């Protein structure tokens, strides 16, 4: 992130760095969603009410970041 922030958008390397970051994030999400990943473990350990509460907290945090 630091490299991307420090690179001017007009620099031809900026887009390439952003694309690498996006691919890294997609790969990480796939790992966490897979069997045995963090999200799979959370689903197994929390009950429905706890999962709903966690989802609500996530949505509130997401909304705050996106607004």
């Amino acid at each position: 992130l630091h490299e991307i922030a420090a690179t001017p958008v007009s620099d031809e390397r900026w887009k390439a760095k952003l694309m690498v970051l996006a691919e890294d994030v997609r790969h990480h999400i796939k790992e966490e969603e897979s069997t045995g990943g963090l999200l799979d473990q959370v689903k197994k350990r929390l009950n429905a009410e706890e999962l709903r509460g966690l989802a609500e907290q996530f949505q509130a945090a997401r909304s705050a970041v996106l607004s």
Side-chain angles (χ1 to χ4, degrees), residues 54-64:
L54 190 58
E56 289 170 6
Q57 289 176 15
F58 172 78
Q59 289 296 341
R62 184 174 184 262
S63 293

Side-chain angles (χ1 to χ4, degrees), residues 2-63:
H2 176 72
E3 283 184 30
I4 294 170
T7 304
V9 176
S10 59
D11 187 316
E12 63 189 33
R13 296 172 296 163
W14 184 84
K15 185 176 179 181
K17 290 177 187 233
L18 191 61
M19 298 300 288
V20 169
L21 173 63
E23 182 55 35
D24 287 349
V25 169
R26 280 191 288 273
H27 178 75
H28 180 73
I29 290 170
K30 222 178 245 189
E31 284 181 344
E32 296 302 349
E33 290 178 335
S34 68
T35 303
L38 178 65
L39 296 177
D40 185 49
Q41 292 177 34
V42 167
K43 287 178 188 176
K44 290 177 182 175
R45 292 191 170 106
L46 299 181
N47 62 41
E49 184 178 330
E50 291 169 320
L51 286 172
R52 273 192 298 279
L54 190 58
E56 289 170 6
Q57 289 176 15
F58 172 78
Q59 289 296 341
R62 184 174 184 262
S63 293

